[in-house]
Amino acid sequence: MNRLFRVLFTLILCVLIEPLVTTTSLAKDVPDHPLRLRKEQMVLISKIIKKTIRSGKIPGAVVLIGKQDRVLYRRAFGHRAIKPKKLSMTIDTIFDLASLTKVVATTTALMQLVEEGKLCLEDPVARYWPEFKANGKENITVRELLTHYSGLRPDLDLKPEWSGYDMAIRMIIAENPVFPPGTNFVYSDINFIILGELVHRISGQPLDVYCAERIFKPLAMKDTGFKPSPTLRKRIAPTQYQNGKTGKLLQGEVHDPTAYKMGGVSGHAGLFSTAGDLSIFAQMLLSGGSHKGARILSPLIVEKMTTPQTPPNKTIRGLGWDIESVLTSNYNKLSPIVFYGHKGFTGTAIWIDPVSKIYIIVLTNRVHPYGKGDVRQLRAEIKKFVAEALVPVSAKQVPDTQPSLIGYRNMESKRNGKVQTGIDVLEDENFKSFSGLRVGLITNHSGIDSAGRRTLNIIYKSHNVKLAAIFSPEHGLYSNDDYNLSSGIELTTSLPVYNLYGDTKKPTEKMLNGLDALVFDIQDVGVRFYTYITTMGYAMEAAAKKGIAFYVLDRPNPITGSFVQGPIMDKDLKSFVGYFPMPVRHGMTVGELAKMFKAENKINVKLHIIKMRGYERTDWYDGTGLPWVNPSPNLRTLTEAILYPGVALVEGSNVSVGRGTNTPFELLGAPWIHAKELAGYLNKRKIHGVRFMPVDFTPASSRFKNEVCHGVQIILVDRQALDPTALGVEIAAALYKLFPGEFQIDKTLDLIGARWILQAIKDGQDPCSIVVRWQKPLEQFRKLRSKYLLY
C-alpha cells in the first residue's frame, strides 16, 4: 500500500511540475532503493533538461544515473522526433552514439585482444598492417592511436566524393602525419578507423560482427549494435536531414559523414544503443570487467584503459577514454571528482567515477532535425550536479599551486578505504607532537596530505612548529630528474634545500645545526633497493649522532604490507640500494622499517612514529582512498610499482627496463635480445599473474637511448597471484639461458642482493627451485619483522 502511494504521488508530482517528462519513463523513475536521488534533486535535474529543451538546443533526452549495479534515476524528456512529426521520447529510445563507439565498441575490442596476447600496445601499427607504414607512419604505435598522440589529422577529407570501406582504407594508407608520433595531442577519428581495421585484421572478423559476438551478446545488450535492424526503426531517434533542410532524414543510419561513406561500420562511429544497455556496460566496467557472470575484460585491463596512459605533462587520456576532473562545492570546500568518460557529436555522453561507483548517461539527438543543437552546457551542469549530490567527498580543498599532485584514483579497490597518513593525523592534532620544535623536513613531491597539499607548506604555515630546513632524496624535491641534484633554495619558503643523493647522502652536522628534530615524509614503494628508505636510515644515524629526535610520518606500503617475498640480502652487500639485510619485498611501512632499523642496527635515536589511521595491511594503494602520486619519475602507475620488485632485479645489467618510454617496468629488452624467443620461453614457464608479448621499443632516454630494443611487454593479469621477485629470477634465468654471451648477469648482484642466486642461475638450476630455497630464510625474517609491525 505504501509503495502504491509513493508511485501515485510521483505521478501527480510529475504531471504538475514536469510537463516535458514522458509518462512512459515513470515505471523506472524512482527505484525502491535507499540510495537514490531525493525528489527535490530529481526536480532540479528535470529543470536543467527542460531549460535546454525550451531553448531549442535539443528536442529531448534520456538521462540515467546509476551506482555500480543499480539504477538510481532514469527518465525520458521531450521528444524523440519533431520532424516530420512529433514523437515522444521514451526510456528505450535507441540513439546514434557517435564517438561513444570509440570506447564502447572499439577500445573494448582492442583491449580484449591485448588481454589475449594477440596485440601489443607498444607495437607499431605496421606490424599488423604492413601497408600502413607508407608516408612516414612506420613508427605510429597502437597506444598512440588509442591516446590520440599518433600525429594524424582529425578526419578524412569528404571531398572529392568517395564511398566504400576499402576506399577509406586506401585513403588512410596515403595519409601523412602532421606531427611526429607521441608529441602532440590531436583528437582524431582517423585513429579509431585504423583501430577498427586492426580488430578486423587480428580477429578475422569485421568490427561489427566481433563486437556483437564478443561484447554485446555476452552482456545481453540487446539493443546495441551497428546498422540496426529495420524492425527497430520506430524506436530510433532520428538525427538530421543530410542536405540541410532537405534530403533524407537519417534514422537508423549513422550520422557521421565518414562512417556513412564507409557503409555504417567504423571504429570511430556507427554504434547505436539505449541508456539501459549503456547502463549494463557501465556496470560491467565498475565490476572489473564482468556483469552477471559474463566476463568481458580482466579488472587490471579495465584499470589500465581508464587511467592516464599519455606522456607526462601532456593532455591526459586513458586508452580510448577521456579523463577529466570536475571541481564541486561540497561542505564549502572545493572537491575534485575525477571521471572517465566520452562524448558523442550527436549529443551523447557517459561518465563514470570509479571511486564512488556513480555513472551518468546522457543521451540526446541534439542534431535533430537541422544539425544546430548544443548540449555542452547541459552535459556540464548534469555532471556537476550529480557529482555534488551523490559523489562522496574524497578530497579536501585542492590548492591552485599544486593541481598536478592530485593523481587519478585507480580502480579495482578491494575496499574503499579512507586512510589518513601521518601528516593527516598531525593536521587533525594541530601539530601537538611537534609543539615548539624547530625541525628539518626530509621530503619530496610525494609528501602531501589527502587533499594534495604539500607537507612542506603545511608545516611551514603552522604556528606550533618552526620549519627551518628541507632535505630531498634521490630525484630531488620535485622528483623531476633522474640525476643528482645540487642543493639550493625552496622557492615558496626561501628555506635551504639539502640534497641527500650525490656526494652527500647523509645529513652533516652543519646541516643539522639549530634543529630539534628531523621529520621524514616520503612515499616508499615497499622494495628493499628503493633508495628512499636508505636515506631514512642514514638520516636516523645522523640524528642519533646529533642528539635530536626523528619523526616518521607513516604512509601505506603501496604493494601491500602483507606480502614478504624474495631473497634476503647478503649482509656484506650493504650499500645505498641495500641498507638492511631483508628480502626484496619486505611488507612493511616506513614507520615499521624505522623501528626495525633503530633496534636491529642499534641506532640510539629518539624515534617517534606518527601512525596512520584506517590502514589495513592487505591494502593495495588503490584501496586506501588516497590520491596516487608517482613516487619517482619512472613509477607512474600502481601496475608499474607491482612489477618493479621483479623487473628491476635485472636493470643493473645491460638491458632496458623501459626507462625512457611511456611504460617503464612494463617493458624489458635490449638490441641483442630475440623478442619472440624470449616471450615464447617466458610464457612456457607459466609464471603466475603475468603474460608476455614480443615487442620492439626505442627508449628516448636512459639505457639504449634512441636504439631499437627487442624484448617483451609484461602484462599483469593477476596481482594477487604474482610473486614479482620470482618473476625477476625467471627473467634473469631466461636471459642467461637464451643469451649467455650477451647478458651481463654479474651486474645484477647489487639489486638481487644474494651471490648464491647468481651462482644457481649459472649452474642451470630451475628458477622454481631457487624460489623454494629462499623460503626458510624468509620465515626467519617474518619472525623478526613481526616485532616491529604497527598495524
Side-chain angles (χ1 to χ4, degrees):
M1 192 70 183
N2 288 337
R3 179 172 176 80
L4 177 61
F5 176 79
R6 289 198 301 269
V7 173
L8 289 172
F9 179 82
T10 303
L11 282 166
I12 294 168
L13 182 70
C14 292
V15 169
L16 291 175
I17 65 175
E18 299 185 45
L20 290 175
V21 182
T22 63
T23 57
T24 53
S25 69
L26 292 177
K28 297 182 180 179
D29 273 355
V30 188
D32 189 15
H33 196 281
L35 201 168
R36 66 189 184 203
L37 286 164
R38 299 188 303 273
K39 290 183 176 65
E40 61 268 27
Q41 293 173 324
M42 291 190 284
V43 171
L44 287 173
I45 292 177
S46 297
K47 287 182 177 179
I48 294 171
I49 300 166
K50 286 164 55 179
K51 178 182 66 175
T52 309
I53 294 174
R54 285 173 175 160
S55 67
K57 293 180 179 179
I58 59 172
V62 176
V63 176
L64 189 152
I65 300 164
K67 183 174 176 67
Q68 187 142 354
D69 59 352
R70 55 193 180 269
V71 174
L72 305 179
Y73 177 96
R74 171 166 37 194
R75 285 194 178 181
F77 299 84
H79 295 91
R80 176 168 73 238
I82 57 177
K83 294 287 183 180
K85 65 177 182 179
K86 287 189 175 182
L87 297 171
S88 294
M89 186 71 75
T90 59
I91 58 172
D92 64 349
T93 296
I94 299 171
F95 290 84
D96 180 338
L97 297 185
S99 283
L100 266 63
T101 304
K102 293 181 172 74
V103 290
V104 177
T106 311
T107 298
T108 307
L110 259 293
M111 298 311 291
Q112 285 180 331
L113 296 173
V114 168
E115 188 174 341
E116 292 167 5
K118 296 176 181 178
L119 174 71
C120 177
L121 295 177
E122 315 309 324
D123 275 349
V125 176
R127 177 174 181 180
Y128 308 98
W129 182 5
E131 297 85 359
F132 177 80
K133 65 182 178 183
N135 301 307
K137 301 190 295 297
E138 62 275 5
N139 293 324
I140 295 175
T141 66
V142 177
R143 171 186 291 277
E144 288 160 348
L145 295 177
L146 281 163
T147 57
H148 295 288
Y149 277 85
S150 69
L152 295 170
R153 295 186 301 148
D155 201 356
L156 296 174
D157 293 326
L158 298 176
K159 300 290 184 179
E161 287 294 335
W162 61 273
S163 66
Y165 186 93
D166 291 342
M167 184 62 194
I169 296 302
R170 289 195 292 272
M171 292 171 68
I172 285 172
I173 292 172
E175 279 289 314
N176 293 283
V178 293
F179 297 107
T183 61
N184 288 68
F185 174 80
V186 179
Y187 182 82
S188 172
D189 287 347
I190 294 176
N191 290 339
F192 276 77
I193 298 173
I194 296 164
L195 291 170
E197 173 65 7
L198 288 185
V199 173
H200 186 183
R201 287 174 175 266
I202 295 169
S203 72
Q205 294 179 305
L207 180 66
D208 57 335
V209 176
Y210 178 95
C211 292
E213 293 184 3
R214 296 289 306 279
I215 303 170
F216 309 140
K217 185 177 180 180
L219 290 177
M221 295 171 65
K222 58 184 176 61
D223 290 327
T224 303
F226 295 85
K227 298 192 294 187
S229 166
T231 60
L232 299 175
R233 180 180 173 85
K234 64 180 181 179
R235 288 171 47 206
I236 298 174
T239 50
Q240 73 179 93
Y241 291 102
Q242 277 191 308
N243 300 313
K245 295 186 178 182
T246 63
K248 179 169 60 174
L249 179 64
L250 294 171
Q251 185 177 14
E253 294 180 276
V254 62
H255 171 269
D256 180 87
T258 303
Y260 185 89
K261 286 176 176 289
M262 293 174 64
V265 179
S266 174
H268 77 289
L271 194 66
F272 288 75
S273 189
T274 63
D277 275 7
L278 290 179
S279 174
I280 293 172
F281 188 79
Q283 291 173 26
M284 176 273 293
L285 293 174
L286 288 170
S287 297
S290 66
H291 180 74
K292 293 186 176 178
R295 177 159 295 284
I296 303 302
L297 297 165
S298 73
L300 288 167
I301 287 290
V302 172
E303 177 182 348
K304 189 177 185 68
M305 72 181 184
T306 58
T307 51
Q309 298 292 326
T310 42
N313 304 316
K314 299 282 189 178
T315 299
I316 297 176
R317 300 283 299 195
L319 297 174
W321 291 88
D322 189 12
I323 295 171
E324 53 185 301
S325 177
V326 178
L327 278 179
T328 63
S329 298
N330 276 307
Y331 308 106
N332 298 319
K333 293 182 179 180
L334 290 177
S335 302
I337 306 300
V338 183
F339 291 95
Y340 64 86
H342 213 285
K343 299 185 287 287
F345 184 82
T346 52
T348 57
I350 182 171
W351 299 283
I352 300 171
D353 174 23
V355 173
S356 70
K357 309 296 186 182
I358 294 291
Y359 60 90
I360 310 165
I361 296 164
V362 178
L363 300 181
T364 80
N365 53 337
R366 64 102 186 166
V367 294
H368 179 69
Y370 306 128
K372 296 183 178 180
D374 189 342
V375 291
R376 287 174 294 182
Q377 184 176 352
L378 169 66
R379 291 193 291 208
E381 287 182 4
I382 289 179
K383 184 162 51 175
K384 186 172 182 180
F385 175 81
V386 173
E388 292 181 344
L390 283 179
V391 177
V393 179
S394 57
K396 300 176 185 176
Q397 185 171 356
V398 185
D400 293 338
T401 55
Q402 296 293 322
S404 63
L405 294 182
I406 295 295
Y408 188 73
R409 297 163 292 172
N410 286 329
M411 295 178 60
E412 213 227 340
S413 302
K414 298 303 178 186
R415 70 183 191 100
N416 189 16
K418 293 183 179 179
V419 174
Q420 286 186 295
T421 63
I423 183 59
D424 292 314
V425 172
L426 270 184
E427 287 183 86
D428 284 351
E429 297 174 351
N430 199 23
F431 293 92
K432 181 179 178 181
S433 302
F434 285 7
S435 184
L437 296 182
R438 183 179 173 88
V439 304
L441 176 64
I442 306 168
T443 193
N444 64 2
H445 72 294
S446 70
I448 61 173
D449 70 1
S450 59
R453 297 175 295 187
R454 294 195 300 173
T455 300
L456 187 160
N457 294 110
I458 296 167
I459 295 179
Y460 181 73
K461 294 176 182 178
S462 172
H463 298 297
N464 292 343
V465 60
K466 175 68 174 178
L467 180 62
I470 303 166
F471 300 83
S472 66
E474 183 181 2
H475 308 299
L477 184 60
Y478 301 104
S479 191
N480 54 7
D481 204 318
D482 265 343
Y483 304 99
N484 297 358
L485 298 174
S486 59
S487 300
I489 299 295
E490 201 283 318
L491 296 179
T492 64
T493 62
S494 299
L495 291 173
V497 179
Y498 300 110
N499 176 38
L500 299 181
Y501 184 75
D503 295 335
T504 303
K505 291 185 172 65
K506 182 183 295 189
T508 64
E509 185 173 355
K510 183 178 179 181
M511 293 175 186
L512 300 180
N513 280 342
L515 299 182
D516 301 310
L518 280 176
V519 180
F520 184 90
D521 188 25
I522 298 175
Q523 179 60 59
D524 182 41
V525 299
V527 178
R528 180 224 299 151
F529 44 75
Y530 208 60
T531 63
Y532 296 165
I533 58 176
T534 301
T535 295
M536 180 178 71
Y538 285 179
M540 289 172 62
E541 294 172 5
K545 184 177 180 181
K546 186 68 174 176
I548 63 176
F550 194 89
Y551 288 80
V552 177
L553 309 187
D554 212 4
R555 291 187 172 274
N557 183 323
I559 57 175
T560 87
S562 57
F563 288 95
V564 179
Q565 295 168 327
I568 306 290
M569 185 187 79
D570 294 346
K571 291 183 179 180
D572 63 341
L573 291 178
K574 183 176 180 178
S575 70
F576 198 59
V577 292
Y579 179 77
F580 188 83
M582 57 184 176
V584 173
R585 192 175 179 183
H586 49 68
M588 302 176 77
T589 69
V590 285
E592 293 167 342
L593 287 171
K595 281 187 65 180
M596 184 172 69
F597 292 169
K598 169 181 165 63
E600 299 300 321
N601 286 352
K602 296 179 172 54
I603 304 173
N604 187 25
V605 66
K606 292 174 280 187
L607 178 65
H608 307 271
I609 311 297
I610 309 299
K611 291 177 59 178
M612 294 177 281
R613 292 176 184 157
Y615 175 67
E616 296 180 9
R617 301 209 68 82
T618 55
D619 282 344
W620 296 90
Y621 198 87
D622 58 12
T624 63
L626 296 169
W628 173 264
V629 178
N630 300 345
S632 55
N634 283 285
L635 286 177
R636 303 169 188 171
T637 66
L638 179 56
T639 293
E640 290 167 7
I642 293 166
L643 294 173
Y644 175 73
V647 180
L649 288 180
V650 298
E651 82 162 313
S653 66
N654 57 332
V655 296
S656 168
V657 293
R659 293 181 186 266
T661 74
N662 290 328
T663 52
F665 300 103
E666 295 181 54
L667 296 171
L668 181 136
W672 44 267
I673 288 175
H674 299 289
K676 289 185 178 179
E677 185 179 6
L678 179 60
Y681 180 84
L682 288 171
N683 281 325
K684 287 180 181 177
R685 292 290 303 169
K686 296 182 179 179
I687 302 167
H688 294 303
V690 288
R691 192 156 46 238
F692 304 87
M693 286 191 62
V695 67
D696 290 342
F697 61 93
T698 304
S701 61
S702 195
R703 183 168 284 121
F704 300 127
K705 177 181 178 180
N706 296 329
E707 292 186 58
V708 177
C709 293
H710 317 291
V712 292
Q713 179 183 19
I714 305 165
I715 301 171
L716 179 63
V717 294
D718 187 344
R719 64 189 184 185
Q720 290 290 142
L722 174 68
D723 178 345
T725 62
L727 166 66
V729 172
E730 287 277 6
I731 290 171
L735 292 174
Y736 187 77
K737 178 181 179 68
L738 300 177
F739 316 107
E742 291 86 3
F743 178 48
Q744 298 171 355
I745 189 172
D746 290 337
K747 292 185 177 181
T748 66
L749 179 60
D750 283 348
L751 298 185
I752 289 178
R755 293 182 180 86
W756 70 266
I757 290 181
L758 267 63
Q759 190 57 53
I761 292 173
K762 291 177 180 179
D763 291 343
Q765 293 183 25
D766 188 285
C768 292
S769 67
I770 295 174
V771 172
V772 170
R773 284 181 61 186
W774 72 47
Q775 296 308 311
K776 187 173 182 179
L778 273 186
E779 282 305 312
Q780 296 171 349
F781 175 78
R782 287 189 183 97
K783 292 178 182 178
L784 174 70
R785 164 180 170 270
S786 66
K787 297 189 293 183
Y788 306 109
L789 298 184
L790 298 169
Y791 310 94

